[in-house]
Amino acid sequence: MIIPRIESSSRPFQGLLINVEVDTLSRGDGKTFIREVARVTDVVAIAAIDDEGRILLIKQYRHSMRGPVWEIPAGRLDVAGETPAEAAARELREEADVLAESLEPLSVFGNSVGWTTETTHLFCARGLTATTPFERLCEEADIEKAWVSLPEARAMIQNGTIADAKTIIGILLSS
């Protein structure tokens, strides 16, 4: 396999959450082609399973989808020096007011490897206890929580109620 060489690179957009790079590549045959890459920080996602075998789903507004989305708790690795497991514990607390006795790594996967560097670190949380409510802002202020049996969650995938990739992977790996 020939690994293309980057002939030139530019960054036409630098934002708060993403940077877009435009690379001109060559396979060494004199021809070039362009690829755009969204560079972002990695994320964590948590399949929180309670003692009854139910998974915690949250519903929140996602601007890219222009509406609410059912998903598992998740968030960016955006605290300096924080490990993925520490970020998962923080996000579970911030988004769902839940503490976990254990966080088991389930998978690390590329979200859309054709155009973004975003990688998700997926954990299974168990030994859950409720904690004091976290003060949420912006779209997180209206988060709804639901404990759903795993068979019901799989049915939500099949009927299109759940369409978020990290959530589908979390449900399937927790089943």
Side-chain angles (χ1 to χ4, degrees):
M1 171 182 289
I2 296 172
I3 304 297
R5 184 177 63 245
I6 298 173
E7 299 292 334
S8 64
S9 186
S10 65
R11 184 178 283 173
F13 179 79
Q14 188 164 337
L16 296 173
L17 297 177
I18 67 169
N19 296 320
V20 176
E21 293 180 358
V22 178
D23 295 333
T24 301
L25 305 169
S26 170
R27 292 174 37 89
D29 59 2
K31 299 176 185 172
T32 61
F33 53 101
I34 305 277
R35 292 294 178 262
E36 298 167 345
V37 177
R39 296 215 174 269
V40 297
T41 59
D42 286 351
V43 298
V44 295
I46 309 96
I49 309 294
D50 71 5
D51 292 339
E52 297 176 37
R54 301 175 302 172
I55 190 164
L56 174 61
L57 298 178
I58 62 172
K59 184 176 173 182
Q60 68 176 316
Y61 175 78
R62 290 297 191 180
H63 187 65
S64 61
M65 303 306 292
R66 301 298 196 262
V69 173
W70 279 108
E71 59 189 304
I72 57 178
R76 298 222 162 269
L77 276 163
D78 56 5
V79 175
E82 191 174 52
T83 67
E86 291 166 339
R90 175 179 52 78
E91 288 294 340
L92 188 58
R93 160 87 173 82
E94 289 178 2
E95 291 194 345
D97 307 317
V98 171
L99 301 176
E101 190 175 290
S102 69
L103 282 166
E104 172 193 346
L106 289 178
S107 182
V108 178
F109 57 89
N111 294 351
S112 188
V113 298
W115 68 276
T116 180
T117 62
E118 186 177 62
T119 297
T120 296
H121 300 260
L122 178 64
F123 292 86
C124 182
R126 295 195 184 267
L128 309 175
T129 56
T131 188
T132 54
F134 190 83
E135 183 180 348
R136 295 177 192 64
L137 304 172
C138 303
E139 66 272 5
E140 290 182 345
D142 298 316
I143 283 177
E144 296 176 30
K145 296 182 274 186
W147 290 96
V148 177
S149 72
L150 287 168
E152 183 182 352
R154 287 190 300 277
M156 292 170 75
I157 293 168
Q158 291 175 325
N159 71 26
T161 302
I162 294 174
D164 174 65
K166 70 183 173 306
T167 301
I168 293 169
I169 295 168
I171 290 167
L172 295 178
L173 289 180
S174 297
S175 296

